[in-house]
Amino acid sequence: MNTANLLRLILLAAIWGGSFLFMRISAPTLGPAVLIEARVLFAALFLAAVGAFLKKRLDLRAHWKHYVILGFFNSGFPFLLFAYAARTLPASVLAVLNATAPMWGALLGAAWTRQAIGARTVLGLVLGTAGVALLVGFDHATSRAGLAVGAALLAAFSYSVASQYARTAKSVEPFANAHGTMWTSAVMVLPALLVFPPAGAPTAGIVGAVIALGVLCSGVAYILYFRLIDAVGATSALTVTFLSPVFGILWGALFLGEAIGWYTVAGSAIVLVGTALVTGFVPRFKRAAPVAAPCK
């Protein structure tokens, strides 16, 4: 990973960490359905404009079933769940709960392939559960917060289902995946508008947060993410999962005044360590090869 890709990785983590800030700002007023319908629609329109400029085909007729499945598990359903949770939980907590997605993915993969779960995986799962309990237990130990935590964890699990599906699904060009799933998500979220009406009228700040959530955190972020995968591989790109909670906590503290207590730091660290153990993720850094002195 060279300097340019490292900067892209940090930028992507900052953007995705910011998505929880924008949801926290807008979800209490708009409700989860209106917020996510606007998010995926703005993302779809932005990606359509980019696709037209780059002359990239969507090929909806050939891949619509794929876009529906991936759009449900990777966008529409988890987005709604996180927006529901954002009405109650701070942005920092949402970002850390999102970081459990690779842990659920590893467990789902083991169950899918009927592989035995090792001691390291069990330890990681125990640590992850303890970290979530520590993170949430101090300030949010209410029944409403419990539902919100459950929704956020289910959203993270949904991402892992999408990852397992993508491994066995037919190959579709990455940009088309992002573009197509935003359109199918926009259609699938529509019925939720009847269940979750908005609580009030949006302010200019809320409108700005929704646009940023759609264009920046979905459209631009997907382009950055797929470019990283092409450049450094999926495993290295996974590092963004461990970096985005840092920015989620930072943005929540800076812009929403969310408190960063010892339990926030400790709980976040325990969750990330548990996730790393379950997934077997170990960062490796290559030393630069010595440059030979020029011959004189």
Side-chain angles (χ1 to χ4, degrees):
M1 184 175 291
N2 57 30
T3 302
N5 287 325
L6 179 61
L7 291 175
R8 291 188 187 101
L9 183 73
I10 294 173
L11 176 60
L12 179 60
I15 292 173
W16 270 344
S19 67
F20 303 102
L21 167 70
F22 297 135
M23 280 193 286
R24 182 61 179 155
I25 291 172
S26 49
T29 299
L30 296 181
V34 173
L35 170 59
I36 299 308
E37 182 63 34
R39 173 180 184 173
V40 294
L41 191 57
F42 277 124
L45 292 171
F46 170 78
L47 291 170
V50 173
F53 177 77
L54 298 177
K55 297 181 179 178
K56 288 183 175 289
R57 294 181 57 190
L58 185 58
D59 205 0
L60 186 60
R61 181 177 296 181
H63 304 306
W64 71 269
K65 290 182 181 179
H66 170 74
Y67 294 148
V68 167
I69 296 172
L70 196 59
F72 178 81
F73 287 107
N74 200 57
S75 301
F77 185 53
F79 283 1
L80 275 174
L81 290 170
F82 269 122
Y84 172 82
R87 300 186 303 175
T88 305
L89 299 177
S92 56
V93 174
L94 293 171
V96 176
L97 294 177
N98 177 70
T100 64
M103 179 171 63
W104 306 126
L107 292 174
L108 183 60
W112 192 278
T113 58
R114 298 181 180 179
Q115 294 179 351
I117 298 177
R120 175 172 174 164
T121 301
V122 173
L123 176 60
L125 184 59
V126 171
L127 285 175
T129 304
V132 170
L134 178 62
L135 186 69
V136 177
F138 278 83
D139 288 340
H140 315 288
T142 65
S143 59
R144 188 179 177 187
L147 289 175
V149 171
L153 291 175
L154 182 58
F157 180 79
S158 182
Y159 287 139
S160 71
V161 174
S163 298
Q164 290 299 319
Y165 165 75
R167 291 181 181 180
T168 57
K170 60 183 178 181
S171 179
V172 176
E173 194 269 330
F175 181 86
N177 263 337
H179 186 193
T181 55
M182 288 301 106
W183 286 115
T184 55
S185 296
V187 174
M188 288 186 285
V189 171
L190 284 174
L193 295 173
L194 301 175
V195 182
F196 297 105
T203 63
I206 290 175
V207 172
V210 173
I211 294 174
L213 191 60
V215 175
L216 182 63
C217 299
S218 297
V220 174
Y222 268 121
I223 294 173
L224 272 174
Y225 181 62
F226 288 127
R227 183 170 180 179
L228 267 175
I229 290 177
D230 289 337
V232 301
T235 301
S236 295
L238 178 68
T239 315
V240 70
T241 305
F242 299 91
L243 292 177
S244 57
V246 176
F247 287 98
I249 293 171
L250 177 62
W251 302 149
L254 287 178
F255 297 105
L256 299 179
E258 295 179 358
I260 303 178
W262 68 266
Y263 48 87
T264 305
V265 177
S268 302
I270 293 171
V271 167
L272 296 180
V273 169
T275 301
L277 284 173
V278 172
T279 59
F281 178 82
V282 179
R284 292 181 175 87
F285 303 94
K286 291 183 178 180
R287 295 180 61 183
V291 179
C295 298
K296 293 185 179 179

